[in-house]
Amino acid sequence: MERTLIIIKPDAVQRGLSGEIIKRFEQRGLRIVGMKFMSVSRALAEKHYEEHVGKPFFEGLVNYITSSPVIVIALEGTNAVEAARATIGKTKPFESPAGTIRGDFGLEVGRNLVHGSDSVASGEREVGNFFTESELFSWKRNTDPWIFENPS
Ligand code: DAT
Ligand code: MG
């Protein structure tokens, strides 16, 4: 099933919003297959954000994501990537509609609370960057048939 990487960024953890953010993904029906509390090293941050190397905000972005612990989550579900991004909102929180995580809790692009993979290929790559195979779980929920018409 499709996978996406979520990062609850340092600002959200510091502000005590982790539970609220996890709740929204759970309520959406996405299945948690991996989760951990960790610090992101500079090397991992630079790998994760490699598409943004050279952009004016790159240094600030790496400083931000490495500044304090994060919670990383691997989620699985039908159209997990798009569904999670819709729940997160737009890159710039001030443009994000109310009802999205960024629209409800943020104002600035450099403090946008949460990361979600932007394509199926990125989801696979990013989950692999943050989790080892033994940290990822294949499991079923008793509620899966009420969320997925064809659970797998
Ligand atoms: P997203 O996190 O919505 O996938 P992205 O991949 O385009 O957005 O950029 C990664 C992060 O970089 C984003 O969450 C915040 C930061 N960023 C993006 N565009 C920016 C900009 N114009 N100014 C400052 N920071 C920016
Ligand atoms: Mg992105």
Side-chain angles (χ1 to χ4, degrees), residues 9 49 51-52 57 61 85 91 102 109 112:
K9 294 181 179 180
Y49 282 126
E51 66 176 303
H52 299 299
F57 59 82
L61 180 60
R85 290 209 34 121
T91 301
R102 287 171 175 167
V109 67
N112 65 4

Side-chain angles (χ1 to χ4, degrees), residues 7-150:
I7 305 174
I8 303 179
K9 294 181 179 180
D11 50 334
V13 174
Q14 288 277 358
R15 291 172 58 194
L17 293 170
S18 305
E20 172 67 34
I21 290 169
I22 294 167
K23 185 185 81 171
R24 292 180 178 214
F25 293 118
E26 280 191 305
Q27 285 179 337
R28 192 80 202 261
L30 293 161
R31 183 166 61 198
I32 296 170
V33 294
M35 178 154 69
K36 61 183 174 180
F37 189 61
M38 64 179 287
S39 288
V40 179
S41 67
R42 280 199 95 72
L44 181 56
E46 285 168 6
K47 189 173 181 188
H48 175 66
Y49 282 126
E50 65 188 1
E51 66 176 303
H52 299 299
V53 170
K55 294 184 185 169
F57 59 82
F58 183 73
E59 189 65 17
L61 180 60
V62 170
N63 288 342
Y64 164 47
I65 202 77
T66 58
S67 62
S68 179
V70 301
I71 294 171
V72 289
I73 308 170
L75 294 177
E76 207 169 62
T78 321
N79 302 119
V81 167
E82 241 186 276
R85 290 209 34 121
T87 292
I88 290 167
K90 296 189 177 179
T91 301
K92 296 177 178 170
F94 69 90
E95 291 178 349
S96 274
T100 64
I101 294 166
R102 287 171 175 167
D104 286 348
F105 301 112
L107 291 169
E108 296 188 12
V109 67
R111 296 290 183 269
N112 65 4
L113 300 140
V114 59
H115 167 83
S117 307
D118 66 3
S119 67
V120 175
S122 301
E124 287 299 320
R125 181 170 48 80
E126 293 176 359
V127 167
N129 283 344
F130 281 85
F131 290 95
T132 63
E133 269 309 310
S134 64
E135 291 172 329
L136 295 168
F137 295 82
S138 273
W139 67 296
K140 297 194 188 316
R141 300 168 299 191
N142 292 340
T143 50
D144 280 347
W146 304 105
I147 295 164
F148 305 127
E149 190 175 355
N150 301 113

